[in-house]
């Protein structure tokens, strides 16, 4: 069974840096074609792809936030970490991580998501 | 890249069919057959329904089907059921990146 789960602060202050961790099981991030992606969804709004990290450590970022994002993986711990700098209230959203398969370009399964509220 | 364009809403009665469109460009949908669709119920994580334009993961009913013509992909839900109600999102591969559609709220009347 493949599972992913996001963890991080529920509340963050503007201008701070957000660190989110995706802990997964049931698959290996060392397998060819496998990646883990981060996607966010502001309340009542659409999904937005943020970042991907692949088995070979290649990293890809969505164009709108690329300057503020960092993504790393710890294969031994089965974790992927996303950091987002200079938070703003508009970054309030549910943040999801999901397994990604490059050779067919799909996300499955997804974690349950974690709601991050940016407010002072 | 810009988000893919989906109609904000769609609806149908139980038993009917409904089709949701997803329009992109020659750089995304038109260039690749890596189109996927996700269903999201309120308060839940998205679920993969279709990948590679028209393939269904194990467990997804064959009432869900996908197609593509030019720069537009489509998701058709046949034999609508109450549980099909929710938001549907399309995505396309874009040369190593991914782009999502704006989502369509499907209402079962």
């Amino acid at each position: 069974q493949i599972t992913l789960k996001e963890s991080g602060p529920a509340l963050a202050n503007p201008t701070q840096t957000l660190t989110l961790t995706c802990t997964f099981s049931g698959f290996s991030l060392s397998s060819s074609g496998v990646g883990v992606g981060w996607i966010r969804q502001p309340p009542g709004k659409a999904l937005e792809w943020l970042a991907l990290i692949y088995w070979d450590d290649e990293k890809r970022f969505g164009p709108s936030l690329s300057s503020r994002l960092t993504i790393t993986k710890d294969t031994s711990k089965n974790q992927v970490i996303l950091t987002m700098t200079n938070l703003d209230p508009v970054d309030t959203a549910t943040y999801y991580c999901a397994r990604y398969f490059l050779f067919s370009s799909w996300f499955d399964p997804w974690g349950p998501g974690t709601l991050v509220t940016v407010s002072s | 890249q810009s988000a893919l364009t989906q109609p904000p809403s769609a609806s149908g009665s139980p038993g009917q069919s409904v089709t949701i469109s997803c329009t992109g460009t020659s750089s995304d949908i038109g260039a690749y057959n890596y189109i996927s669709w996700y269903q999201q119920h309120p308060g839940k994580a998205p679920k993969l329904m279709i990948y590679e334009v028209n393939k269904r993961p194990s467990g997804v009913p064959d009432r869900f089907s996908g197609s593509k013509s030019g720069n537009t992909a489509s998701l058709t839900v046949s034999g609508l059921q109450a549980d099909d109600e929710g938001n549907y999102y399309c995505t396309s591969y874009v040369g190593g990146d991914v782009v999502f559609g704006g989502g369509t709220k499907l209402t079962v009347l």
Side-chain angles (χ1 to χ4, degrees):
Chain A
Q1 182 187 9
I2 294 173
T3 64
L4 303 95
K5 187 171 184 179
E6 308 85 354
S7 59
L11 181 65
N13 289 320
T15 75
Q16 282 190 334
T17 294
L18 174 67
T19 299
L20 296 171
T21 300
C22 176
T23 303
F24 59 88
S25 64
F27 69 96
S28 173
L29 196 40
S30 299
S31 300
S32 180
V34 175
V36 171
W38 284 94
I39 304 99
R40 74 176 181 179
Q41 184 173 40
K45 297 189 177 181
L47 299 168
E48 177 186 18
W49 169 64
L50 299 178
L52 275 166
I53 189 164
Y54 292 116
W55 79 101
D56 59 0
D57 209 38
E58 180 179 355
K59 298 155 189 177
R60 309 287 299 199
F61 298 96
S64 61
L65 291 170
S66 58
S67 63
R68 298 171 52 206
L69 297 176
T70 303
I71 189 168
T72 60
K73 64 181 174 72
D74 186 331
T75 306
S76 64
K77 293 183 178 180
N78 282 352
Q79 291 183 332
V80 171
I81 297 170
L82 181 76
T83 61
M84 179 183 296
T85 61
N86 194 24
L87 285 174
D88 184 272
V90 300
D91 295 314
T92 294
T94 295
Y95 288 77
Y96 296 99
C97 65
R99 182 184 64 159
Y100 182 74
F101 188 57
L102 172 63
F103 302 139
S104 291
S105 188
W106 44 251
F107 292 101
D108 182 66
W110 296 53
T114 186
L115 175 62
V116 178
T117 301
V118 181
S119 174
S120 55
Chain B
Q1 65 265 21
S2 300
L4 305 175
T5 300
Q6 298 181 235
S9 63
S11 63
S13 299
Q16 289 185 334
S17 294
V18 64
T19 297
I20 298 170
S21 63
C22 172
T23 301
T25 69
S26 57
S27 298
D28 39 60
I29 291 179
Y32 306 98
N33 286 326
Y34 296 141
I35 313 302
S36 54
W37 289 88
Y38 300 85
Q39 176 193 64
Q40 186 181 34
H41 290 135
K44 300 294 186 180
K47 174 187 175 184
L48 177 67
M49 304 300 284
I50 295 286
Y51 67 98
E52 289 185 25
V53 177
N54 55 16
K55 297 180 181 178
R56 280 176 287 105
S58 174
V60 173
D62 60 6
R63 301 185 296 103
F64 291 85
S65 61
S67 63
K68 189 187 96 166
S69 178
N71 298 337
T72 298
S74 298
L75 172 72
T76 297
V77 186
S78 305
L80 272 175
Q81 299 181 1
D83 190 52
D84 298 334
E85 188 162 288
N87 289 295
Y88 290 81
Y89 295 90
C90 59
T91 72
S92 176
Y93 175 83
V94 193
D97 295 342
V98 175
V99 62
F100 275 82
T104 297
K105 180 176 175 56
L106 174 60
T107 300
V108 180
L109 302 170

